[in-house]
Every structure is written in C-alpha cells, then in structure tokens.
Amino acid sequence: MSGWDLGIYVAAAVLIVAPLGVFSSYLREITRRLREDDWGAPPPTPLFRTGRYTQEEKEDR
Amino acid sequence: MEPALEISLTWLDWTIILIYLVAMIGVGLFFQKKQGSFEDYFLASKGLTMPLLIGSLVSTFYGLDTLFGTSEIGFFEGVTGFFAYALPYTGLYLLMAFLAPRFRELEGNTFIDLIGKNYGKFAQAISACSSFFYAINTMEMMGIGFIFTLLFKIPFWLGVLIAAVIVVTYTYTGGLWAVAVTDMFQFTIMALSLGIALLICWTDLGGYNGIYSGLAAYLDADPWYFFSPSGGYLTAGVIASYALTSLAVLCEPAFLQRIFASRSPRDARHALLISTPIWTAYEFACCMLGLAAVAAVGLGVIGEPHANLALIAVVARYLPPGLIGLFLAGVLAAAMSTADSYFLVSSGNLVYDLYRPLFNPDLSSEKLMAYTRRAVIISAVISVALSFYFERIMGVWVFQASILINTVLIPLYASVFLKKLPKTRLSGSLATATGFFGTIFYYLLISTTGHFSEDWGTMVLQINFCGRSVELWQEYGIFLIPPFVLLAFLIGQLCGKEKAPRTA
C-alpha cells in the first residue's frame, strides 16, 4: 500500500465519519428545538474574548 | 447545452432523488410560519449552533465548481489540482477560524453594515454592489439545469427553471433557517456519497498500482506528473493567480453571513476548525476521482468523457444501484446548497445593504423581511437569465472573485482589525471605488482589446512594458488592482477630513 492509498483511505474516512458525527449532534439539537418550538437564540456573549464565559456557556461546556 | 453522458437509474435511485427534492421543499414550508423579523429570516435569529454551522458552511462553500472543476484539473494535471488550488484554501479556512470570533463580536448583521458604519453610504453602496455581483448564481444554476437535463431528459432551459423553482420555494418561505437545515441534509448526502464513491472507485481500479498502470496505458508514457504536486504544465505565475482567488474566503458574503448568524463567537470558531479537514478531504477526493477517471479510460473501463464529466463518468461506472441515486442526490445537493445561500445573500444586498440605507432607513423589521423575500425572486430571475447567456462559467467565477476581493478586502479588514486607527470616509470611498471600477475596467480592457488564447484557455492581452513583451491575463486583475486599492485607501486617510464614527 502506497502513501497515496493511505491518503485516499484517510480522506474517505473523514468524508464518511465526519458527516455522520455532525448529523447525529444536529439530530439531538433539532429534536430539542422541535419539542420546545425554539427557533430563537440566547443573546450573544461579549465576554468571549476575555476568556470568561456566561453561566449558560459554562453549563454548555 | 446537451449532456454527452448516459446514466441508467433503477427505481431505487429515482426514489432517493425524488424523496430528496420533496424533502427540501417540505423544510421550506415548515419554516414559513417561524419568521417574525428580518433577523429571524436573514440570520436565523442569530441562533445557528456548531453542527448547523458546519453543515451550512461546508455545503455552501463547496458547490459544483469544486465537484466538477477540481476533478477536471485532476483529470488533466493530476494531484497539482489539490496541492496548487485546494491547499491555499485550507490555509485561509484555518486563518478564518481565528478571525471569525472578532466578526461575530461586532454589532452588525452583514459585513456591508460594518463598511457603512466606518466609511459611510457611498462605500457601503459600492461594497453591496460588489457582493451582489459575487453572489449571482449563474454557475450553480447552469450546473443544476445540466443535471436535471441529464436525469430527466428535458431541455436545458426547462431544467434550469425547475431547479430555480425548487430552490427559490424553500429559500423564499424559510429564510436562513430553511437554508441551514436543508444545508445540513445536503452536507451529509454530498460528503457521504463522495467518500463512498472514492473508496469504491479507487479500490476497484486496483489502488495506486492499478491506477498508475491505467495512466501509463492512457498516455503511453510514464505518467509521473500525475502524482507530482508541482507537475503538469502549469507555471508558478498561473498557479499563484488561481491560488489568490482563495482570498475570497476572507470576505465571502455567505461565509460571513453564517458567522454573523452563529449563536456565539465560540460556535463560529469551532465550526470552522472542524469544517477545514472536511473541506480538504472533499477537494482531495474530487481531484483523485478526476485522476482515477483517466486511469479508467486507459484501462478501457469507460470511454473518454468530457473532462468536467470525468467524476460522474467514473462514479456511475462503479457505484451499485441505490448508491448512484445517493451520489446524484449529492451532486444536486452540492449545487442547491450553494444556490440557496447566494439567493439569500444577494437579496440581502439589494434590500438591507442598498435599499434600506439609501432610500428608507426607517424601514420596519417586518417590511425588511417582506422585501428581502421578494428580492430572493429578483436574484433568482437574474441568475437564471445569465445562465442562458454565459457560455464559459469559469471566466464568470474569476471575475466575481476579483471584484469582491478588490472592492471590500482592504477597507473591511482595516475597519475590523485596525480599531484604533481613525478612519476617514474618503479612504473607504476611494478604496471601494478603485477596486470596483478598476476591476470592471480591467476586464473590459482585456476582453475588448485582448485575444482568446487556445493554449491557456483564457483572454490574454499582449503589451510592451519597458521594451519587453508582457502577457496580461484576464485572471491577473486579482493581484494587479489591490496595490492601487491600498494606495487609494492611504490617500483617502491622508486627505480625508471627515472622520467616520468608530463603531467597529
């Protein structure tokens, strides 16, 4: 197996695994939004740049 | 435009394609009642979280130009297509991941807003025009029309019209929420189908050794340059001028719209960091499938296709029924996800960035949303009309990228990242006008006084400069004009008296 074969397997793995992972986390979120009929957003967090987080962000983390 | 490729589909393939198309319209109709304000409609209430951002960013930025364009370069020049054209974009995506939080922290709904607040209405209007030019969807509409023609055996014009109706329906009704949710499905389908296709085609052709033999049989010579990162016939200057189009990442309207629509700066940065390897793998897959198509021709597995159909030809040969349907749905997804985003961006340019500040600053949020919806239809009509007019779509893309980069890059980044520098209205006005009109003038000059070079496939003007003969390519506008823009900006800073308020 050459380096090019390896590159192909890595690229194919990224293209197959990454969307499945992203889609599963999207499904969790969209299920919650549908259940709560929530299509708005919390206010932006201006503390981001300072490295401090809001209480809500801390809970997210 | 009639496709020179026959693909036979089974009932399973048809079912997958039709379910996909109906689902897209269904999503748009679902979101119709969820929009209460312009911010809901145009920025998804600034509530896009990381997964939605990843899906929307990846699928929007990678359309048919990547799928067919990168594979076409792979078909002719091998891995140079990836190393010379794609890797500069990867670097810019990473850079953008670190710049994006700064944009998100600013007060504004579009990057044109930021230019307007820093330099005034003239610079804002010129920037909005350049963004509108960039966001016109000619290439994607031609591509979708072509795929519909291929699938349904209908005339090209009808394919374009049907495609436009589907995309406009869910964009008009659902706004960015519908676009982001459909993008999520489109991202999943296009990445999965391309990954599976790459694995099956490469393995069935015998891996590297089998493909090398196929390339040697095709050329009847040692095909070394297909696997040389700097191989092929491209010169450093040509590669540099194409690589410079990657600067569009830094001021890409759909890109920045998603950053402004993200729930937080952290979501935007993480989404870009995760998207970067996916984009890179996507480009690599397209390039290698183009190269695999040449090997398949050499091995006698497929007939010689048109270069920009190489990817579809080799994939259609190797994928089993069901997966071909998934792949074609993925191709449609790549085109539609880009088209819907640019319809929305260009409608925002017309209403929010041009009409509102110039003619009706007190427009209510509800009216702003209603007008933006109508402008989606106007953008679609212009895109469809132009898709019947243009023959060479790559020329259109280089012009679009040039006009955007030359007009907005310098004033936008000065306003966002040089906060302490007091900026004058004159600097923004001069810089945007020089970039915008300079690009138009340069393209008109080359296309009216130059000639079409069959060797290079582009418009070229031969001039004498200091006793030497110099070739000016149409593509060179992207690095010839920015120095003048920078000069205009500096002159405006020195001579301008009226300082704009420091809002960003």
Side-chain angles (χ1 to χ4, degrees):
Chain A
M1 189 170 71
S2 79
W4 292 109
D5 289 321
L6 192 63
I8 293 291
Y9 296 138
V10 171
V14 169
L15 289 172
I16 293 168
V17 175
L20 291 177
V22 174
F23 195 75
S24 66
S25 83
Y26 156 78
L27 274 183
R28 274 199 302 275
E29 182 194 332
I30 211 74
T31 309
R32 181 195 65 75
R33 282 190 188 270
L34 283 169
R35 201 173 47 237
E36 298 169 9
D37 196 26
D38 168 22
W39 306 101
T45 51
L47 294 179
F48 174 83
R49 230 184 324 166
T50 64
R52 289 177 285 140
Y53 293 94
T54 60
Q55 186 58 39
E56 193 175 355
E57 279 192 323
K58 280 180 187 166
E59 285 164 11
D60 278 354
R61 283 157 67 87
Chain B
M1 185 186 291
E2 295 297 328
L5 182 73
E6 289 288 327
I7 294 178
S8 54
L9 300 176
T10 64
W11 65 268
L12 187 59
D13 299 314
W14 281 112
T15 307
I16 290 170
I17 292 166
L18 291 176
I19 287 175
Y20 164 74
L21 292 174
V22 171
M24 294 303 102
I25 294 177
V27 169
L29 295 176
F30 172 79
F31 281 105
Q32 189 173 13
K33 302 281 182 196
K34 311 286 180 194
Q35 320 291 337
S37 67
F38 174 77
E39 209 168 81
D40 292 340
Y41 183 75
F42 193 71
L43 292 169
S45 322
K46 294 202 172 189
L48 292 187
T49 51
M50 198 172 63
L52 275 163
L53 280 171
I54 295 170
S56 196
L57 281 166
V58 173
S59 63
T60 296
F61 206 60
Y62 276 10
L64 293 183
D65 51 333
T66 308
L67 206 56
F68 294 146
T70 308
S71 60
E72 182 180 353
I73 300 167
F75 185 87
F76 284 127
E77 292 150 30
V79 296
T80 312
F82 173 71
F83 287 96
Y85 295 126
L87 278 188
Y89 279 87
T90 301
L92 268 292
Y93 298 141
L94 284 175
L95 177 63
M96 201 60 197
F98 292 97
L99 302 181
R102 187 68 168 272
F103 280 97
R104 180 60 185 85
E105 288 161 359
L106 298 172
E107 292 283 322
N109 288 331
T110 66
F111 73 93
I112 309 287
D113 249 358
L114 303 179
I115 290 178
K117 283 174 185 167
N118 279 276
Y119 306 107
K121 286 182 182 174
F122 180 79
Q124 181 171 16
I126 296 283
S127 303
C129 290
S130 75
S131 175
F132 181 76
F133 269 119
Y134 178 86
I136 289 174
N137 255 319
T138 308
M139 190 155 55
E140 301 305 326
M141 293 319 298
M142 286 173 78
I144 306 176
F146 173 80
I147 297 162
F148 271 54
T149 307
L150 183 73
L151 288 176
F152 303 113
K153 311 280 186 292
I154 53 176
F156 175 70
W157 66 267
L158 189 57
V160 172
L161 281 185
I162 293 173
V165 167
I166 294 172
V167 177
V168 167
T169 301
Y170 70 77
T171 310
Y172 177 90
T173 51
L176 188 60
W177 266 121
V179 168
V181 169
T182 52
D183 279 355
M184 192 67 223
F185 286 96
Q186 289 158 345
F187 154 71
T188 309
I189 293 170
M190 65 191 251
L192 259 182
S193 61
L194 192 69
I196 294 169
L198 176 69
L199 207 55
I200 292 177
C201 292
W202 193 265
T203 311
D204 281 6
L205 278 164
Y208 172 75
N209 291 332
I211 284 182
Y212 203 88
S213 312
L215 293 170
Y218 179 81
L219 290 178
D220 205 15
D222 184 3
W224 64 271
Y225 75 82
F226 270 100
F227 286 99
S228 165
S230 58
Y233 62 83
L234 292 174
T235 62
V238 177
I239 290 171
S241 61
Y242 276 103
L244 274 175
T245 61
S246 64
L247 287 176
V249 171
L250 296 177
C251 50
E252 222 281 336
F255 226 85
L256 290 170
Q257 183 194 21
R258 276 143 190 78
I259 290 167
F260 285 118
S262 60
R263 187 181 62 170
S264 71
R266 190 165 53 107
D267 280 281
R269 185 174 64 191
H270 289 185
L272 279 160
L273 285 175
I274 294 172
S275 299
T276 302
I278 304 173
W279 273 315
T280 308
Y282 195 87
E283 290 265 20
F284 186 69
C286 291
C287 180
M288 297 312 264
L289 281 169
L291 187 149
V294 188
V297 175
L299 293 170
V301 178
I302 59 172
E304 179 142 6
H306 190 283
N308 59 22
L309 290 176
L311 186 140
I312 287 194
V314 72
V315 166
R317 169 67 181 77
Y318 282 105
L319 285 189
L323 282 182
I324 294 184
L326 184 70
F327 182 80
L328 287 174
V331 174
L332 273 176
M336 291 168 77
S337 58
T338 307
D340 57 19
S341 301
Y342 289 123
F343 281 155
L344 198 57
V345 164
S346 52
S347 65
N349 290 146
L350 287 179
V351 177
Y352 184 81
D353 296 321
L354 267 177
Y355 174 73
R356 180 190 57 96
L358 293 184
F359 303 107
N360 199 346
D362 300 323
L363 200 62
S364 71
S365 184
E366 289 74 18
K367 281 199 167 165
L368 205 52
M369 182 177 77
Y371 290 174
T372 307
R373 273 188 162 146
R374 286 173 212 165
V376 168
I377 299 173
I378 295 171
S379 302
V381 169
I382 294 172
S383 301
V384 169
L386 287 177
S387 70
F388 296 133
Y389 178 75
F390 280 107
E391 285 291 326
R392 293 181 60 246
I393 54 179
M394 279 315 284
V396 180
W397 156 244
V398 175
F399 173 73
Q400 288 176 312
S402 302
I403 202 163
L404 181 75
I405 293 167
N406 294 342
T407 307
V408 305
L409 191 64
I410 291 173
L412 176 65
Y413 275 74
S415 69
V416 176
F417 294 97
L418 298 176
K419 280 175 73 178
K420 290 182 180 168
L421 177 75
K423 287 167 280 290
T424 66
R425 289 176 189 273
L426 186 63
S427 63
S429 302
L430 280 180
T432 51
T434 305
F436 186 76
F437 295 112
T439 306
I440 292 174
F441 172 76
Y442 180 81
Y443 271 75
L444 283 177
L445 179 76
I446 301 288
S447 55
T448 52
T449 57
H451 67 279
F452 185 76
S453 162
E454 293 291 342
D455 291 340
W456 299 109
T458 189
M459 292 297 293
V460 175
L461 175 65
Q462 203 91 29
I463 60 164
N464 273 316
F465 183 72
C466 298
R468 288 179 59 190
S469 176
V470 178
E471 276 192 345
L472 282 184
W473 284 33
Q474 188 172 254
E475 286 78 1
Y476 290 175
I478 211 162
F479 58 73
L480 290 178
I481 294 167
F484 293 102
V485 177
L486 184 60
L487 188 65
F489 184 83
L490 294 174
I491 291 172
Q493 281 292 100
L494 291 173
C495 302
K497 290 193 169 54
E498 191 186 355
K499 305 286 180 199
R502 279 167 50 190
T503 51

